[in-house]
Amino acid sequence: MNVFAVEGLPEVRPGDDLAALVERRVDLEPGDVLVVASTVVSKAEGRTADLDDFPPSPRAEEIADRLADVAGEEKDPRFAQAVLEESTELVMEAPFLLTATRFGHVGVNAGIDRSNTGDADLLLLPERPRESAARIRDGLSVDVPVVVTDTSGRPFRHGQRGVAIGWAGMPASRDWRGERDRDGHELEVTVESVVDELAATANLVTGEGDDGLPVAVVRDWEFGNHEGSDELYRAVDGDFVRQALREWEYARD
Ligand code: GDP
Ligand code: MN
Ligand code: MN
């Protein structure tokens, strides 16, 4: 397979038609996967905000004070308020804010970005990224899957990488259960999150800084003959790490 970034995209503005912007610059082919960084999806959907849009509640003040205490530097309670408003659950309050978004993604600061935000202070994640992916796909002249990504940290490992937060036109995972390994043993648990793997692949060429490359095309990759699944986000009642975090409290020393 091949992966390449789409060159020459402008600064994306609210109301921009991403499908059209992309197709003006690349001839998509059947079998491609179009991978789009959430930053430009958010910009096109007008998901920008200013810190002053978030007058802090007492709870936000309390969270910011705690974070400031832990970090030894000022923390803006308006930002804490923005994170609270974008979240359905606070998974960790210190030493950083780890929260669940409405659509199921768990991330630091609810995935709110303070870089590559254009003229605004903040860039919020798309409200419903699967619908965003479907809309972009509907606007394309070629029927290809679309994956919307964000850069995300991982527990247990240093470094960040691209993950999928929305997808359309393909399942999120391919299910290897019931297939056999080289020794003839039946696979019992392996469900491969291919949308995350495509997101990480695209992130290799889109970069994180000022490259101006928010869209990548993965060409000549095949899903293959497997069952698929759209389950990407664990439900809390089956997520033991998340449950353990509910019992856990940050202590300095
Ligand atoms: P995120 O991972 O979705 O949060 O997005 P990043 O901030 O890491 O940006 C991914 C890529 O998109 C980088 O190459 C940025 O330079 C680029 N980028 C961000 N916004 C724009 C934009 O409005 N226009 C263009 N052409 N590139 C952008
Ligand atoms: Mn981001
Ligand atoms: Mn990124």
Side-chain angles (χ1 to χ4, degrees):
M1 69 181 217
N2 249 301
V3 58
F4 59 90
V6 176
E7 306 270 349
L9 285 162
E11 177 69 24
V12 173
R13 306 262 168 222
D16 277 354
D17 179 346
L18 288 175
L21 287 176
V22 167
E23 282 199 302
R24 236 170 266 151
R25 291 166 178 85
V26 65
D27 290 322
L28 292 172
E29 297 174 5
D32 289 349
V33 180
L34 188 69
V35 190
V36 185
S38 56
T39 177
V40 288
V41 177
S42 294
K43 284 177 180 176
E45 293 180 356
R47 293 278 290 158
T48 49
D50 288 318
L51 283 163
D52 281 336
D53 301 335
F54 298 98
S57 59
R59 181 88 176 96
E61 301 271 9
E62 183 192 320
I63 288 168
D65 283 348
R66 175 95 192 277
L67 289 172
D69 190 38
V70 168
E73 60 181 38
E74 291 269 303
K75 291 288 172 181
D76 195 325
R78 297 171 301 172
F79 185 71
Q81 181 66 30
V83 174
L84 284 177
E85 291 186 24
E86 283 298 297
S87 304
T88 54
E89 187 194 338
L90 254 68
V91 182
M92 283 170 63
E93 286 179 34
F96 51 84
L97 277 172
L98 183 73
T99 78
T101 65
R102 271 175 234 107
F103 59 89
H105 177 62
V106 175
V108 174
N109 295 332
I112 300 175
D113 275 339
R114 285 187 276 193
S115 58
N116 283 329
T117 59
D119 298 331
D121 296 336
L122 308 175
L123 199 55
L124 315 177
L125 285 180
E127 257 181 307
R128 283 179 280 277
R130 285 185 69 177
E131 288 175 24
S132 306
R135 253 193 319 272
I136 295 167
R137 179 166 175 254
D138 287 345
L140 296 169
S141 64
V142 186
D143 183 12
V144 300
V146 173
V147 176
V148 174
T149 70
D150 194 22
T151 306
S152 178
R154 299 94 42 93
F156 311 117
R157 306 173 78 88
H158 286 293
Q160 305 192 317
R161 56 93 209 258
V163 297
I165 58 169
W167 60 97
M170 66 178 293
S173 309
R174 54 185 179 194
D175 191 344
W176 294 83
R177 289 173 300 181
E179 299 186 36
R180 299 200 174 269
D181 74 3
R182 284 162 58 81
D183 306 315
H185 300 134
E186 194 175 306
L187 299 172
E188 286 172 10
V189 293
T190 309
V191 179
E192 181 189 11
S193 167
V194 287
V195 285
D196 278 344
E197 293 174 324
L198 291 165
T201 301
N203 212 106
L204 287 171
V205 296
T206 57
E208 298 296 337
D210 64 358
D211 313 66
L213 301 172
V215 178
V217 176
V218 176
R219 182 157 288 170
D220 294 330
W221 169 76
E222 277 180 32
F223 187 87
N225 185 23
H226 306 271
E227 291 295 313
S229 149
D230 267 338
E231 286 189 353
L232 189 65
Y233 304 115
R234 285 184 194 275
V236 181
D237 64 3
D239 187 337
F240 302 109
V241 176
R242 185 140 157 215
Q243 287 173 34
L245 278 172
R246 284 183 166 173
E247 312 290 314
W248 177 85
E249 182 68 41
Y250 176 73
R252 218 177 326 209
D253 327 303

